[in-house]
Amino acid sequence: MNLLTTSAKRNLRIRADPELRERVNEKQRQRYAALSLEGKKTHRGKWKERQNKVNAEHKIKRKTDPTWREKKNKESLKFRKENPEKYKNSVRNATLKKKYGITLIEYKALLERQGGVCAICRKPNHLLGGKQQLHVDHNHKTGKVRELLCHTCNTTLGKVNESLDVLFALVAYVLKHKEK
């Protein structure tokens, strides 16, 4: 008498055959990706719609109800005092998301991939003036994030309008006047 169910037998076959396992896994990945994408679209749309409604209500309340506004200000101040690091990270995350379309986690991953140094001069982050963070360099036409740069390299790149002619002229100038 066989005590294994049909699904248990199938699972054993899948475990024993690497090709079958890969085919099954790929089908599952595709199915979950499709469901996940559809779910995200629907959920995100509903969530955004609700959030916009709540934000509009709060905006009106903030303008018209001084006691509500004062209460919310006190709550916000209390949260900031009790959770300074969390507050700082939430502000940084919101700024990165708004300006560059990346999260704080993506920023930190980029920083780690670069070894914590500027992508141009290779100076470590901690040598750039204490709390100063590396700037997110991005293409101003497409908005695509490139790498992280120190303040000096970022402003230099901006001042020459990313012109290769000017950059090559700068290199030629420095080489011409280099002390031997």
Side-chain angles (χ1 to χ4, degrees):
M1 177 177 201
N2 195 348
L3 298 176
L4 292 176
T5 63
T6 307
S7 63
K9 288 177 189 175
R10 181 176 180 270
N11 286 341
L12 287 174
R13 277 195 324 272
I14 292 171
R15 284 192 196 126
D17 184 359
E19 286 181 24
L20 178 61
R21 182 178 16 187
E22 186 52 41
R23 283 197 315 267
V24 168
N25 285 344
E26 184 56 35
K27 280 183 183 177
Q28 285 179 340
R29 276 192 290 271
Q30 289 172 354
R31 189 170 69 238
Y32 290 143
L35 288 173
S36 177
L37 183 62
E38 191 57 39
K40 282 180 184 174
K41 284 180 185 174
T42 334
H43 177 72
R44 191 175 289 147
K46 287 178 183 175
W47 177 86
K48 194 69 175 166
E49 189 178 297
R50 184 184 173 285
Q51 193 61 42
N52 287 341
K53 184 180 174 186
V54 169
N55 287 345
E57 290 170 0
H58 283 194
K59 195 174 186 179
I60 291 168
K61 270 188 172 181
R62 187 170 281 284
K63 286 182 179 179
T64 58
D65 187 350
T67 55
W68 187 86
R69 179 176 52 236
E70 194 170 314
K71 178 186 165 205
K72 286 296 177 184
N73 286 346
K74 284 180 182 176
E75 287 173 5
S76 180
L77 188 61
K78 181 182 175 193
F79 176 81
R80 280 187 253 163
K81 284 182 179 178
E82 291 174 356
N83 308 286
E85 196 62 31
K86 192 173 183 180
Y87 176 73
K88 185 180 107 180
N89 286 340
S90 71
V91 169
R92 179 78 172 137
N93 191 49
T95 304
L96 288 168
K97 197 77 170 146
K98 185 177 180 181
K99 287 175 102 176
Y100 309 110
I102 64 171
T103 63
L104 186 57
I105 293 169
E106 291 168 320
Y107 174 90
K108 288 179 179 179
L110 192 55
L111 183 64
E112 192 173 311
R113 247 185 319 218
Q114 285 182 211
V117 297
C118 170
I120 295 175
C121 69
R122 311 305 294 164
K123 284 185 183 168
N125 192 21
H126 67 277
L127 295 179
L128 298 171
K131 295 181 180 180
Q132 186 180 16
Q133 298 202 17
L134 292 176
H135 298 265
V136 178
D137 179 42
H138 64 288
N139 183 316
H140 288 264
K141 290 178 184 157
T142 65
K144 184 179 180 217
V145 172
R146 295 187 282 219
E147 292 186 76
L148 303 177
L149 304 177
C150 69
H151 177 74
T152 304
C153 293
N154 192 42
T155 53
T156 301
L157 195 58
K159 293 212 185 278
V160 299
N161 291 321
E162 299 180 19
S163 166
L164 292 176
D165 293 335
V166 175
L167 290 169
F168 287 135
L170 278 170
V171 170
Y173 180 83
V174 170
L175 290 174
K176 176 181 172 185
H177 294 287
K178 187 176 181 181
E179 297 287 326
K180 293 181 181 178

